Amino acid sequence: SQTIHQWPATLVQPVGSPLSLECTVEGTSNPNLYWYRQAAGRGLQLLFYSVGIGQISSEVPQNLSASRPQDRQFILSSKKLLLSDSGFYLCAWSATVGQPQHFGDGTRLSIL
Amino acid sequence: QKEVEQNSGPLSVPEGAIASLNCTYSDRGSQSFFWYRQYSGKSPELIMFIYSNGDKEDGRFTAQLNKASQYVSLLIRDSQPSDSATYLCAVNEDYGGATNKLIFGTGTLLAVQP
């Protein structure tokens, strides 16, 4: 069966520090991969999605970036975090277009 | 802007009752519809998905889709306190064909009273 791993579970970072969140999927090949952010009390905002290695689509212009160095690895990065980057970051995968997306456990990011 | 709308609630139902959660969407070309359950502080968990007009049942859950009215609903029969969570409706965004993107509603908070 397929599993998705996301780490760390919680992270506290100072303003201006870099960020790297990692997500890996097991048990499937060539998944579609997604990064979302959920601000407190708000809906899910799609940040990036990827249909293959090196293929990244950005949904929201901001100081975040994403990379997919391997088929089942998706990384969310920032060079300098802002206070507004706080939130619950979720990685998800789907088998193909139109199929359900399945979420990892998420990373709760607090910026001080 | 393409939107998915849900009543934020809270929707309060007594234990054993039927909970009815509703969602409307603006993109008439959407083809895939999903319901997720999200417990407080946790990530969303897929409950149901539906692609065709009509009803789809899975255990205590029934998803209903009416594309003409751009309306999708989730019924939970025999509601249990453990069903208390936020329920997110998600709809694929149509770009005239295949698309990877889902648009999420902000969710309805369901509270099942013992």
Side-chain angles (χ1 to χ4, degrees), chain B residues 8-13 19-21 76 79-81 83-87 108-112:
Chain B
S8 61
L11 173 66
S12 183
V13 300
S20 178
L21 304 160
I76 306 175
S79 295
Q80 301 297 310
D83 294 326
S84 298
T86 296
Y87 288 80
T108 297
L109 178 61
L110 172 66
V112 180

Side-chain angles (χ1 to χ4, degrees), chain B residues 30-49:
Chain B
S30 295
Q31 299 294 323
S32 307
F33 307 86
F34 308 90
W35 282 100
Y36 289 84
R37 177 177 63 199
Q38 186 174 24
Y39 292 114
S40 180
K42 302 296 185 182
S43 63
E45 172 192 11
L46 180 70
I47 297 297
M48 293 282 293
F49 59 91

